[in-house]
Amino acid sequence: MAQAAQATIGDSEFDRDTAVTLRAPGVYDTDLSAGWTIISAVNGGYLLATLGRALADALPHPDPFTISAYYLTASQAGPATIRTETVRTGRTLSTGQASLYQQDAEGNEVERIRVLASYGDLDALPDDVRTTATPPEFPPVEHCFGPQDAPELRPLEGSSAITDRLWLKIDPATLGWALGAPTGKGEMRSWFGLADGRDADPLSLLLAVDALPPTAFEMGLKGWVPTVELTVHIRCRPAPGPLRVAITTRNLAGGFLEEDAEVWDSADRLVAQSRQLARARLS
Amino acid sequence: MAQAAQATIGDSEFDRDTAVTLRAPGVYDTDLSAGWTIISAVNGGYLLATLGRALADALPHPDPFTISAYYLTASQAGPATIRTETVRTGRTLSTGQASLYQQDAEGNEVERIRVLASYGDLDALPDDVRTTATPPEFPPVEHCFGPQDAPELRPLEGSSAITDRLWLKIDPATLGWALGAPTGKGEMRSWFGLADGRDADPLSLLLAVDALPPTAFEMGLKGWVPTVELTVHIRCRPAPGPLRVAITTRNLAGGFLEEDAEVWDSADRLVAQSRQLARARLS
């Protein structure tokens, strides 16, 4: 991740593209960037981070501890409005709701996503750690491969602007799909960073959990795996340096699958856990 | 689970105690039963099932596919009002929101829980199953123990009405806490049913994921572990017969922990997955 001029938290592509502007109490304007799309679909983690930034402004606590998103209709690059509601404020946690809207061709407002979330202050948490989780084994970065290394690793044919914004180095053990030989296991693992070298923060973790190629590829499926629901728990402020993201799917059945993501930071701490329910079309 | 007269889906304690009555479009009255409390706290899974029943009535689809609950204030046995909103209706999924309110001593309405959910029709799903998950190993029922077998297995001192409504047979490997010797592992496993013999359905699965003693007990913690957020995915209609519920916690840190639950039916199918974020007080 050596960069001539490294971007920083607050001054980076990710920060500019998730920026929100207060228009009225609890109401924010934003402009969804075409830089975080796959074909024409806006990445769900990027959308969640944008909503998460609006809630961080609207609520009295700064950091998402848990956020649940229901994806209603497909977002498109361009202007959007976020409406927030403060549901409850407490001493250590506050809970809010937010919805993102865009206008359709007739000028009608269409709701794209609705989220519920509880926010707190990660820096105020005690240091006690009693965890049984250990980081998954990852090959060193130089033994992993990213979309910049081979065209087969671009997640879908056609334009995938998001791959230029991310620094992904995927574990070759989860790259069978790219060689036409999916392993059949519901696993995807990658080193993760932002291409401009910006370090991770709680908002960029909301992107990290939904930015890898879908596990469905390794289970032999092709095509789009649209998210129905995604919940992320942020457990700790991430240390500077690259993240490791490990995603597993245990159950692909009835046209749906879950994706469980764990995100580990450079200090070997489990900084985020997420689960999503997505639709899958069995081929 | 041999019963003189077995209760059935639709005619059981659980069905009566989660009943909702339409008062106005989208608005339901309910009466939270004292039968599903631990000390004075109403069980979070029972509350979720009651909200889930209201949404099943309000939405055009019958079954919760994914439901996310944010617990705001402590519910109490007694009257409550549920207000629902239909967020979006689609061909295979519809999305709704619901909140449960109770009155405080001054007669002010207080919001207890807010949920977002997407509903579908489990019976309309294709039969395709491509799963890598296998059921956890459970000892036979006769080698497991429930609250009826020993007073040490009542989850907390004092009245625990819910234990009389449930049929739990807990894996002794996860019962160290009851003998004063917690294993330190974040695991809890139990056979699960309703005491009156009613079989499981999607709504009772919402109870099953939050009805075991907390994994925190096996990690050496005592006392209450209040839920902040709970998301449940219902993946399949459960077959008749007892369920197996396996809960794991990988990360107890900073005063919070997650509980991941898997529910398996008698046909060895993974019928529900859930994750909750809860507060823990390290002792």
Side-chain angles (χ1 to χ4, degrees):
Chain A
M1 295 177 78
Q3 304 285 326
Q6 178 147 325
T8 57
I9 294 172
D11 183 11
S12 73
E13 288 178 323
F14 174 78
D15 293 289
R16 285 186 286 278
D17 289 347
T18 57
V20 297
T21 307
L22 187 67
R23 184 213 301 174
V27 182
Y28 299 84
D29 290 318
T30 190
D31 194 12
L32 299 179
S33 164
W36 304 87
T37 52
I38 299 177
I39 313 295
S40 65
V42 183
N43 173 265
Y46 162 70
L47 292 167
L48 187 58
T50 305
L51 283 155
R53 191 181 292 282
L55 280 169
D57 188 81
L59 294 173
H61 292 93
D63 302 313
F65 278 27
T66 170
I67 184 164
S68 301
Y70 281 69
Y71 293 81
L72 304 169
T73 56
S75 300
Q76 292 170 337
T81 301
I82 298 172
R83 295 203 169 80
T84 66
E85 175 196 352
T86 299
V87 177
R88 178 178 180 270
T89 59
R91 192 174 54 81
T92 57
L93 286 179
S94 50
T95 300
Q97 178 170 323
S99 291
L100 186 143
Y101 301 86
Q102 291 188 306
Q103 289 192 347
D104 67 12
E106 287 78 43
N108 301 310
E109 202 167 59
V110 180
E111 188 171 355
R112 299 300 194 199
I113 316 173
R114 186 176 295 204
V115 308
L116 282 173
S118 288
Y119 275 56
D121 182 356
L122 287 171
D123 298 329
L125 295 182
D127 285 335
D128 311 298
V129 174
R130 239 189 257 194
T131 182
T132 56
T134 52
E137 290 203 19
F138 269 72
V141 169
E142 58 271 25
H143 294 170
C144 296
F145 300 91
Q148 284 76 21
D149 301 317
E152 294 82 0
L153 299 190
R154 299 211 154 230
L156 293 172
E157 286 174 33
S159 162
S160 296
I162 191 172
T163 59
D164 298 325
R165 304 293 180 103
L166 303 179
W167 176 81
L168 291 180
K169 288 288 180 180
I170 304 173
D171 182 344
T174 65
L175 276 176
W177 56 275
L179 305 169
T183 59
K185 292 184 194 167
E187 297 181 4
M188 195 67 62
R189 286 184 296 275
S190 185
W191 295 90
F192 178 92
L194 293 167
D196 61 8
R198 177 200 190 271
D199 278 319
D201 69 349
L203 289 181
S204 76
L205 292 177
L206 302 181
L207 168 68
V209 299
D210 193 38
L212 270 56
T215 54
F217 286 2
E218 273 300 78
M219 300 179 87
L221 276 66
K222 288 172 182 167
W224 196 233
V225 187
T227 303
V228 176
E229 179 268 333
L230 168 61
T231 295
V232 189
H233 298 171
I234 305 296
R235 305 297 303 272
C236 181
R237 188 175 299 285
L243 301 170
R244 285 157 290 173
V245 182
I247 305 187
T248 54
T249 296
R250 289 167 54 75
N251 192 41
L252 165 58
F256 289 85
L257 56 81
E258 93 285 2
E259 276 202 6
D260 281 3
E262 288 188 357
V263 185
W264 295 80
D265 73 3
S266 61
D268 273 358
R269 289 178 309 183
L270 181 54
V271 293
Q273 293 169 293
S274 76
R275 175 175 290 161
Q276 69 172 262
L277 185 70
R279 292 181 195 247
R281 285 176 189 84
L282 294 179
S283 53
Chain B
M1 296 177 80
Q3 303 284 326
Q6 179 148 323
T8 57
I9 293 172
D11 182 11
S12 73
E13 288 178 324
F14 175 79
D15 293 289
R16 284 185 287 277
D17 290 347
T18 57
V20 297
T21 306
L22 187 67
R23 185 213 299 174
V27 182
Y28 298 84
D29 291 318
T30 189
D31 194 11
L32 299 179
S33 163
W36 304 88
T37 53
I38 299 177
I39 313 296
S40 66
V42 183
N43 173 265
Y46 162 68
L47 291 168
L48 187 58
T50 305
L51 282 154
R53 192 181 292 282
L55 280 170
D57 188 80
L59 293 173
H61 291 94
D63 302 312
F65 278 27
T66 170
I67 184 165
S68 301
Y70 281 69
Y71 292 81
L72 305 169
T73 57
S75 299
Q76 293 170 339
T81 301
I82 298 172
R83 294 201 171 80
T84 67
E85 175 197 351
T86 300
V87 177
R88 179 178 180 270
T89 58
R91 191 175 54 83
T92 56
L93 285 179
S94 50
T95 300
Q97 177 169 323
S99 291
L100 185 143
Y101 300 87
Q102 292 187 306
Q103 290 194 346
D104 67 12
E106 288 77 45
N108 300 311
E109 202 166 57
V110 180
E111 187 171 355
R112 300 300 194 200
I113 317 173
R114 189 177 291 206
V115 308
L116 282 173
S118 288
Y119 276 55
D121 182 355
L122 287 172
D123 298 329
L125 295 182
D127 285 334
D128 311 298
V129 174
R130 239 189 258 192
T131 182
T132 57
T134 51
E137 290 204 16
F138 269 72
V141 168
E142 57 271 25
H143 294 170
C144 297
F145 300 92
Q148 284 76 20
D149 300 316
E152 294 82 359
L153 298 190
R154 297 210 155 231
L156 292 172
E157 287 175 31
S159 162
S160 296
I162 191 173
T163 58
D164 297 326
R165 304 293 179 104
L166 302 179
W167 175 82
L168 291 180
K169 289 288 181 180
I170 305 174
D171 183 343
T174 66
L175 276 176
W177 56 276
L179 305 169
T183 59
K185 291 184 195 166
E187 297 181 2
M188 195 67 62
R189 288 184 293 277
S190 185
W191 295 89
F192 178 92
L194 293 167
D196 62 7
R198 177 200 189 271
D199 278 319
D201 70 349
L203 290 180
S204 75
L205 292 177
L206 302 181
L207 168 68
V209 299
D210 194 38
L212 271 55
T215 54
F217 286 2
E218 272 300 78
M219 301 180 87
L221 277 67
K222 289 171 180 168
W224 196 231
V225 187
T227 304
V228 175
E229 179 268 333
L230 168 61
T231 295
V232 189
H233 298 171
I234 305 296
R235 305 297 303 273
C236 181
R237 187 175 301 284
L243 301 170
R244 285 157 290 172
V245 182
I247 305 186
T248 54
T249 296
R250 289 166 54 75
N251 193 41
L252 164 59
F256 289 85
L257 57 80
E258 93 285 0
E259 277 201 5
D260 280 3
E262 286 188 0
V263 185
W264 294 82
D265 73 2
S266 61
D268 274 358
R269 290 178 308 183
L270 181 54
V271 291
Q273 292 170 294
S274 76
R275 176 175 290 160
Q276 69 172 264
L277 185 70
R279 291 182 195 248
R281 286 173 189 86
L282 294 178
S283 54

